[in-house]
Amino acid sequence: IIAGDRRDEHMEVLVDLCEVMADASLCAMGGFTPLPVRSALALHADGSGAPVTLRGHEGAVWSAAWSPDGDRILTASADKTARIWSADGAGTAVVLAGHASSVVSAAWSPDGEHVVTASHDSTARVWDADGSGAPFVFAGHTDSLLVAAWSPNGQRIVTASADKTARIWNADGAGAPFVREGHASSVVAAAWSPDGARIVTASADKTARTRPAARPLGRRRLVGPRLTLPRVLVDRGHRRQRRLLIAVLAVLEVHRIGRLLGQRHALARAA
């Protein structure tokens, strides 16, 4: 597939994506030049045969992606829609409409049953691939989204935004997103490690960052009465204070156990 900008019958393409199918016979590409495009091309990677032209978008086509089974093609466009086409060009495309601005990225879930779209309207949406039902909207970014990608197991989605953050969402919309900050400029790309344990983000700040995809475990909370100790006792930089702290805690624990034993003894006498 080639998504690019057309001038008459001549297609000038700046390739930014090449996605080869399992049989290596076809290639999917997305790109752009200064003029508007309203079509995508499906062609054989070896140059043989005639391309299949997918027409219907009313604005520039920014991305194109094969379905996992290779039977369908997903496109994202400046006309605020994504469309799902038969790879052979047969039939009518499924139109996914609802975004308030350009759809700049669209990706298939690993099982091919859903797609996620990312838009300049600052939201991502998850749709049924057959176009049925209403999409689930992921809202929370404060600037344009630039990409959205599924985790390898299809249970999470990472989004990258011009608000300098990436966010990790549960694909079913449950819970709050895990916000990954730190970049000094727009996050223009995000991708999952093969095991789904980490993400990598790329930014206009001239850096890429890898980081865990899961929330860090919080500190364990001890159940029981809270002890108020002088700050000097909890200064981890001094061994003497640490030893003193351990001694104080040990004395308090002995005192607590003594109280419990006394209470038991009193209850036994009363009985």
Side-chain angles (χ1 to χ4, degrees):
I1 314 161
I2 295 181
D5 289 337
R6 177 184 289 277
R7 175 163 47 220
D8 297 325
E9 294 302 315
H10 179 60
M11 181 74 72
E12 296 181 358
V13 178
L14 299 178
V15 176
D16 60 11
L17 170 68
C18 184
E19 189 177 291
V20 181
M21 293 177 59
D23 64 3
S25 64
L26 293 170
C27 184
M29 304 180 191
F32 62 92
T33 56
L35 299 177
V37 69
R38 299 179 182 181
S39 65
L41 295 179
L43 54 141
H44 290 273
D46 61 5
S48 64
V52 175
T53 303
L54 306 175
R55 292 189 176 92
H57 279 296
E58 298 177 0
V61 179
W62 300 125
S63 76
W66 293 97
S67 62
D69 60 10
D71 291 338
R72 293 166 294 170
I73 292 169
L74 172 65
T75 55
S77 171
D79 67 8
K80 307 178 186 178
T81 73
R83 301 188 183 216
I84 297 173
W85 319 72
S86 293
D88 60 5
T92 303
V94 174
V95 180
L96 306 177
H99 281 291
S101 189
S102 296
V103 181
V104 294
S105 170
W108 293 90
S109 62
D111 61 8
E113 294 184 1
H114 298 86
V115 299
V116 62
T117 55
S119 170
H120 282 172
D121 67 8
S122 303
T123 71
R125 298 181 183 224
V126 170
W127 317 71
D128 290 333
D130 61 5
S132 64
F136 187 88
V137 180
F138 295 91
H141 281 289
T142 59
D143 207 335
S144 298
L145 265 66
L146 302 174
V147 74
W150 294 86
S151 63
N153 63 9
Q155 295 181 3
R156 292 177 293 171
I157 291 168
V158 62
T159 54
S161 172
D163 68 6
K164 307 177 186 178
T165 73
R167 298 186 184 221
I168 298 171
W169 317 73
N170 290 321
D172 61 4
F178 180 23
V179 181
R180 302 313 315 247
E181 300 175 308
H183 282 294
S185 190
S186 298
V187 181
V188 298
W192 294 86
S193 62
D195 61 4
R198 300 179 67 81
I199 61 168
V200 60
T201 53
S203 172
D205 68 6
K206 305 178 184 179
T207 69
R209 298 182 179 218
T210 62
R211 49 188 101 192
R215 295 179 186 274
L217 295 176
R219 295 182 179 178
R220 294 183 61 187
R221 186 174 181 181
L222 300 177
V223 177
R226 180 176 296 178
L227 300 177
T228 302
L229 299 173
R231 183 177 180 83
V232 67
L233 295 182
V234 293
D235 185 350
R236 296 185 178 180
H238 301 85
R239 294 182 180 179
R240 180 176 300 177
Q241 283 84 1
R242 278 196 307 227
R243 289 197 297 268
L244 180 56
L245 174 60
I246 292 171
V248 170
L249 293 176
V251 170
L252 291 174
E253 181 65 13
V254 170
H255 178 67
R256 186 181 69 84
I257 293 173
R259 273 197 315 175
L260 290 175
L261 291 176
Q263 291 172 358
R264 290 181 183 178
H265 182 64
L267 290 173
R269 283 190 303 174

